[in-house]
Amino acid sequence: MRRLRPLALALVVALSGCSLITLDFQPKIRPLQEKTVEGHGASKILILDLSGMLSEDLPSFSLGAPPPRVPLLARVREELLKAEKDDKIRALVVRINSPGGTITASDVLYHELLAFKERRKIPVVAMIMDVGASGGYYAALAADTIVASPTTVTGSIGVVMITVDAQGLMQKIGVAPLAIKSGPMKDAGSPFRALTGPELAVFQGIIDDMYGRFVHLIVQSRRLPEDRVRALADGRVYTADQALRLGLVDRIGYLEDVVTLAKEKAGIAEARIVMYHRPKEYRANIYSATPAPATAESALAQFAAALGGGGPRFLYLWWP
């Protein structure tokens, strides 16, 4: 093989009829290291990366680049805890390039960023790159300031429940699933039958509650009237200029503008721009990314992982 991918190889050797030897060739996950990518001085500005599908799970498979071995939520918390112990970190830049993800992952990221900001009392600036939609925008609400790239797509405020109705297919192949259940809604959302009217009402109620939470956070964070937020939160996406006019973002600029803004808010003239990484991960400048570059195949794998199993899941996700 030209390249040896990380794998675990179990070697069974019969010694006295009962011995088992297991050899693990998968590289150990090393602690985070700090890398200065630009600038100089004693003070530091940390760039934290939120890219791709926001999910609490690792993809179970990958058709493209190997998936990260550390789940997103675990990696973000690890970075924030490391930064919290470093008094030289004077500001945090959260670089977002995500269409969103599960409601839980989006909410946990928001919570972690907000808790870090409240504990450290330092400026937090969110920078939306290509896409910061739905759950990606939800996480950005924890920042003091949200900056969009001139070509950003953002918004898509709302909730979607995605499931599969395979009843017609099952009928064509002559398979009839049978669910023995304790109540009429115990298998609600099953891909093997259509939703009933009462089940649709139950799921719509859940979606309305989660949507209300999203709206409330925007009202609270962006200081906008609720009726105005509900009017613009119909699921559509917005350009950077549109988002600025609607009050969803504070500024339009580039990443270097965000770094300058972070220095101003921290009250410092000079700072080293730092990123955390595992050994051998590439870090050369402020555009270096934490995960492997996204591809159509890896995005599909992440999406499939977020859906999980065959049951429905509720997502803060831009899903055109």
Side-chain angles (χ1 to χ4, degrees):
M1 294 178 62
R2 294 172 59 187
R3 182 179 64 163
L4 180 61
R5 287 190 172 187
L7 54 84
L9 175 64
L11 177 63
V12 181
V13 180
L15 298 175
S16 301
C18 62
S19 298
L20 175 66
I21 300 175
T22 301
L23 301 178
D24 186 0
F25 290 97
Q26 187 167 352
K28 301 298 183 183
I29 298 175
R30 304 295 183 183
L32 291 170
Q33 297 179 352
E34 180 183 290
K35 170 72 174 181
T36 298
V37 293
E38 291 186 12
H40 57 275
S43 298
K44 306 174 188 175
I45 294 175
L46 173 65
I47 295 182
L48 184 149
D49 199 45
L50 294 182
S51 299
M53 185 81 174
L54 306 182
S55 174
E56 60 271 31
D57 303 319
L58 285 174
S60 58
F61 65 95
S62 176
L63 302 177
R69 295 173 58 210
V70 179
L72 173 65
L73 302 189
R75 191 260 300 169
V76 169
R77 183 171 176 84
E78 185 180 0
E79 290 197 28
L80 292 176
L81 289 176
K82 182 176 177 66
E84 190 173 335
K85 298 175 184 177
D86 188 349
D87 293 335
K88 293 182 180 179
I89 299 288
R90 300 291 301 277
L92 172 66
V93 172
V94 183
R95 188 179 59 195
I96 298 172
N97 195 359
S98 169
T102 69
I103 57 175
T104 297
S106 304
D107 188 64
V108 168
L109 290 170
Y110 168 85
H111 167 76
E112 290 290 338
L113 292 170
L114 189 65
F116 171 82
K117 184 176 70 172
E118 292 175 347
R119 290 193 300 263
R120 275 300 315 271
K121 309 296 183 185
I122 62 174
V124 177
V125 183
M127 173 66 195
I128 303 177
M129 303 295 286
D130 286 301
V131 179
S134 206
Y137 181 73
Y138 188 109
L141 293 172
D144 302 299
T145 308
I146 302 177
V147 181
S149 171
T151 54
T152 284
V153 173
T154 188
S156 187
I157 299 162
V159 189
V160 60
M161 186 191 89
I162 302 174
T163 186
V164 176
D165 184 358
Q167 185 177 21
L169 176 62
M170 301 295 286
Q171 291 172 346
K172 286 183 178 180
I173 62 177
V175 176
L178 174 64
I180 301 173
K181 51 193 179 181
S182 58
M185 291 193 181
K186 186 60 180 173
D187 63 340
S190 167
F192 303 122
R193 65 173 180 82
L195 288 168
T196 65
E199 289 169 346
L200 281 169
V202 168
F203 284 129
Q204 187 62 56
I206 295 172
I207 288 172
D208 291 344
D209 285 348
M210 297 303 178
Y211 172 74
R213 177 176 178 82
F214 202 160
V215 168
H216 172 73
L217 289 184
I218 297 173
V219 170
Q220 177 182 297
S221 175
R222 304 303 303 168
R223 295 179 174 83
L224 297 172
E226 182 172 340
D227 58 346
R228 181 178 170 186
V229 174
R230 287 186 178 272
L232 61 87
D234 59 0
R236 76 182 71 184
V237 291
Y238 298 100
T239 66
D241 289 329
Q242 291 170 336
L244 182 61
R245 290 196 300 269
L246 292 170
L248 295 176
V249 303
D250 298 290
R251 300 189 184 189
I252 296 176
Y254 294 94
L255 193 51
E256 58 264 33
D257 301 322
V258 172
V259 169
T260 300
L261 176 63
K263 291 179 186 177
E264 293 174 358
K265 288 186 170 291
I268 52 178
E270 296 180 347
R272 289 186 288 128
I273 314 306
V274 301
M275 300 181 73
Y276 296 147
H277 68 102
R278 308 288 175 191
K280 299 183 179 180
E281 286 182 344
Y282 171 80
R283 293 293 182 279
N285 57 57
I286 58 176
Y287 291 102
S288 304
T290 296
T295 64
E297 293 83 2
S298 62
L300 178 62
Q302 286 182 308
F303 179 69
L307 288 181
R313 298 190 74 174
F314 300 95
L315 307 172
Y316 289 140
L317 177 70
W318 179 35
W319 192 60

